[in-house]
Amino acid sequence: MSDPLPTILLVDDEEHSLAAMRMALEDDFECLTAMSAEEARGLMQEHFVQVIFCDHRMPGTTGVEFLTEVREHWPETVRIIITGYTETGDMISAINDAGIYQFLTKPWHPDHLMMVAKNATDLFRLTRDHDRMSLEMRYLSRSVEAKIEEQRKALREGLGFEAVLRAVNSPMNAVIEQARQFATFDVPVVITGENGTGKGQLARAMHYSSLRSEKPYFEFDCSSVDDDILEIELFGARRGALPGLTSNKTGLFQKVDRGTLYLSGVSNLSPRLQLLLLRAVRDGAFRPVGGHELRHSQVRLLAGTERDLRIEVAEGRFNSELYYALSKAGLTVPPLRDRVGDLAILAQTLLFEMAEKHGKPVSGLSDDALQFLSEYDWPGNMRELENEMVRMLIFSQDALLGPELISRHILQASPVSDAETETSVDRVLIGTGTLKDRVEQIEMRILRETLTRLKWNKSRAANELGLSRVGLRAKIERYGLVDPKRSSEPTSGEEE
């Protein structure tokens, strides 16, 4: 018999909001709904509620006031308040008064709501387990309790797999499931993926889900680092080994003893460094620069690479013995272009984080903006997406960010419907096809980008492109370009 679903109480005075939240959560949770604090209070007395989502602005008793009462009578229940960024000051007070675990901003994304709910129920379970273990270990040393609290803190700070944002059907789900299994086995793992795909975040989550979670964790990027400096950073150096080194330097393999070391860019290591690393991985032995005696360290090594190490071995650029020593297990992180379903939650979350950091309130990205973002291939992956969110935030004038704020090269990307064509303008220029066809591909993208950037003001677009209004209209019809805001409305005349 399967375990009962966790119970969540949804409180909002707007019926459509309750229905939307229930629809997003009801497959994984037992959902109770209330349209007032009084009704919610009655449900709390009748049911074993693990998590509450409560709207802040309600007539009569506010969300903060109600959750303050919940904190007093049902302190174990995880309390989450739903609000807008304009109420940030109120929320600081709410966190103190009502013990709010998290506040969710409007408009929320269903996948984000689901992830917050799962994290909250995990926290509820973890807190109860912690309380139970604390009672069982009342007469044990205080250091054991401190370690449990440290693990709880690590989970809440988002160091585990829960911090990897993704949609319900994301291709990252299979990767994370593999990573969870690898985490519990004390073996080296090679994590392959393009730059900016989140390999370091995955490595960190594996450490905090492993038996070494209480031990040190360090990350180091081996790319573009001089051999001499890299050798010292990894293995340390004796005093006087190099000019200006007046004291012994402790290397990462000594610092991370019994812990986890994540080295990114291992495919860039020189042959000499590959041999030194091989000895450290295979035998746990290393010699500090300028030292004579071997030192030993029990380090679990996680290696990140943007290139397939099997190909590097086949072409003679990577030591085959080191490859087999490192690749007891392997993970491949998909690029952002293969995670189109994740883009909405990733972009919105990054935008809200940047908005909070810079103190500029926003309500999210419009559907049209998300559509353009999803049609771009993101060669810079998460780093490029984060930069784009910052740029859009800087230039935004309204709370809801539209496609006119998106960078021009992204607006000019090939639409999803043209998936069989080359997406890069450079590739169109050097590709195959008639001159007419290739010119039309570029012309269509320029028109689409200009109209979007100018919010489909055809007078301004025609003027910028040096076309007449009639000529612009003819090209719009020729390429089947449609104003998203008017695509579902009958045409009543032409806008300026």
Side-chain angles (χ1 to χ4, degrees):
M1 183 176 179
S2 59
D3 295 334
L5 296 176
T7 300
I8 288 182
L9 174 58
L10 310 172
V11 188
D12 198 308
D13 61 309
E14 296 181 4
E15 190 170 355
H16 68 90
S17 295
L18 284 178
M21 286 192 288
R22 182 166 195 152
M23 184 179 297
L25 299 174
E26 61 185 357
D27 289 342
D28 295 273
F29 303 94
E30 183 70 34
C31 295
L32 306 173
T33 58
M35 296 188 67
S36 67
E38 182 178 356
E39 185 181 356
R41 194 179 296 113
L43 291 172
M44 288 293 296
Q45 293 170 348
E46 297 173 5
H47 299 272
F48 179 58
V49 177
Q50 299 183 14
V51 178
I52 295 179
F53 284 83
C54 184
D55 186 37
H56 176 45
R57 293 191 178 277
M58 297 189 299
T61 305
T62 66
V64 171
E65 292 169 346
F66 173 62
L67 292 182
T68 302
E69 181 183 342
V70 170
R71 182 184 192 182
E72 180 179 352
H73 296 287
W74 299 278
E76 287 186 333
T77 302
V78 180
R79 299 167 294 280
I80 299 169
I81 199 157
I82 303 175
T83 183
Y85 265 91
T86 56
E87 302 166 337
T88 303
D90 294 341
M91 289 307 97
I92 294 173
S93 175
I95 290 172
N96 295 329
D97 296 341
I100 302 299
Y101 163 63
Q102 189 169 347
F103 60 90
L104 192 66
T105 57
K106 293 182 179 179
W108 45 263
H109 190 279
D111 291 337
H112 190 202
L113 183 73
M114 175 66 74
M115 184 144 315
V116 171
K118 288 183 176 179
N119 286 346
T121 52
D122 286 346
L123 178 62
F124 179 91
R125 175 185 51 78
L126 188 63
T127 300
R128 288 180 66 86
D129 289 347
H130 173 259
D131 292 342
R132 175 181 55 79
M133 293 175 67
S134 295
L135 288 173
E136 293 174 355
M137 299 187 299
R138 179 178 296 174
Y139 300 105
L140 297 179
S141 67
R142 296 179 63 87
S143 64
V144 175
E145 292 185 345
K147 290 177 182 178
I148 294 173
E149 182 58 32
E150 185 177 341
Q151 289 180 339
R152 282 187 68 217
K153 181 181 178 182
L155 177 62
R156 293 191 64 167
E157 289 179 347
L159 299 177
F161 292 108
E162 295 80 4
V164 183
L165 288 174
R166 59 200 184 277
V168 175
N169 298 318
S170 170
M172 281 297 294
N173 291 340
V175 179
I176 289 173
E177 186 57 36
Q178 282 187 310
R180 287 184 190 275
Q181 294 176 331
F182 293 156
T184 58
F185 285 82
D186 204 17
V187 296
V189 179
V190 172
I191 307 175
T192 305
E194 297 176 7
N195 285 328
T197 50
K199 299 187 294 295
Q201 185 183 34
L202 202 60
R204 193 180 310 114
M206 290 177 66
H207 168 74
Y208 284 103
S209 301
S210 73
L211 298 176
R212 297 177 181 246
S213 61
E214 299 172 11
K215 301 301 181 183
Y217 172 79
F218 278 82
E219 298 182 6
F220 190 81
D221 186 0
C222 301
S223 304
S224 305
V225 180
D226 182 80
D227 264 21
D228 293 336
I229 296 174
L230 183 56
E231 184 177 359
I232 292 173
E233 290 292 337
L234 293 179
F235 307 117
R238 300 288 295 175
R239 180 178 59 188
L242 293 174
L245 191 62
T246 58
S247 60
N248 292 339
K249 179 175 176 57
T250 302
L252 286 173
F253 270 86
Q254 186 174 343
K255 288 180 182 178
V256 192
D257 187 21
R258 304 164 73 88
T260 305
L261 175 61
Y262 171 62
L263 294 180
S264 61
V266 293
S267 58
N268 298 307
L269 291 173
S270 68
R272 186 175 74 85
L273 262 296
Q274 289 180 32
L275 289 174
L276 294 176
L277 186 60
L278 172 62
R279 181 168 59 181
V281 176
R282 186 178 56 195
D283 305 326
F286 63 93
R287 179 179 285 111
V289 176
H292 301 290
E293 296 183 358
L294 282 177
R295 294 181 177 272
H296 291 82
S297 177
Q298 298 179 19
V299 172
R300 183 188 189 183
L301 192 64
L302 305 178
T305 172
E306 66 277 8
R307 298 199 290 269
D308 189 333
L309 292 185
R310 291 172 299 180
I311 296 176
E312 297 297 298
V313 169
E315 297 182 355
R317 291 191 294 269
F318 198 82
N319 186 292
S320 61
E321 290 187 60
L322 177 57
Y323 167 71
Y324 290 114
L326 289 175
S327 59
K328 296 291 190 296
L331 292 168
T332 300
V333 184
L336 191 53
R337 63 180 170 274
D338 292 339
R339 299 175 58 189
V340 177
D342 295 346
L343 192 72
I345 186 172
L346 291 171
Q348 299 268 32
T349 301
L350 286 171
L351 177 63
F352 289 145
E353 288 176 354
M354 294 300 104
E356 185 175 18
K357 177 180 178 180
H358 296 286
K360 187 172 183 178
V362 296
S363 60
L365 295 160
S366 71
D367 291 342
D368 297 337
L370 288 172
Q371 180 65 32
F372 274 100
L373 294 175
S374 67
E375 292 172 356
Y376 180 60
D377 60 4
W378 300 104
N381 294 295
M382 289 296 295
R383 294 171 188 166
E384 185 179 7
L385 180 60
E386 181 177 348
N387 289 347
E388 186 63 22
M389 292 304 99
V390 173
R391 182 187 177 280
M392 292 179 68
L393 179 69
I394 290 171
F395 290 106
S396 64
Q397 300 295 324
D398 302 316
L400 187 66
L401 278 61
E404 69 277 359
L405 298 170
I406 298 175
S407 297
R408 299 180 68 172
H409 68 282
I410 297 177
L411 292 176
Q412 291 175 2
S414 177
V416 172
S417 59
D418 296 341
E420 295 182 358
T421 67
E422 297 284 4
T423 58
S424 167
V425 172
D426 288 340
R427 290 176 182 174
V428 173
L429 293 175
I430 63 174
T432 58
T434 67
L435 175 62
K436 179 177 179 291
D437 290 341
R438 290 155 67 189
V439 169
E440 285 183 348
Q441 286 186 50
I442 295 175
E443 183 179 60
M444 182 273 292
R445 297 182 199 179
I446 293 173
L447 284 169
R448 185 169 177 254
E449 177 269 322
T450 304
L451 287 164
T452 302
R453 177 166 45 82
L454 299 179
K455 299 184 179 181
W456 277 78
N457 186 310
K458 294 177 183 175
S459 295
R460 292 180 59 195
N463 183 62
E464 180 176 312
L465 296 171
L467 298 171
S468 67
R469 288 286 297 272
V470 174
L472 176 63
R473 187 185 305 114
K475 289 182 181 294
I476 289 173
E477 293 175 356
R478 177 179 183 177
Y479 295 121
L481 301 177
V482 179
D483 181 355
K485 292 185 177 60
R486 295 183 171 231
S487 58
S488 60
E489 302 175 2
T491 303
S492 60
E494 191 145 340
E495 75 279 7
E496 291 298 320

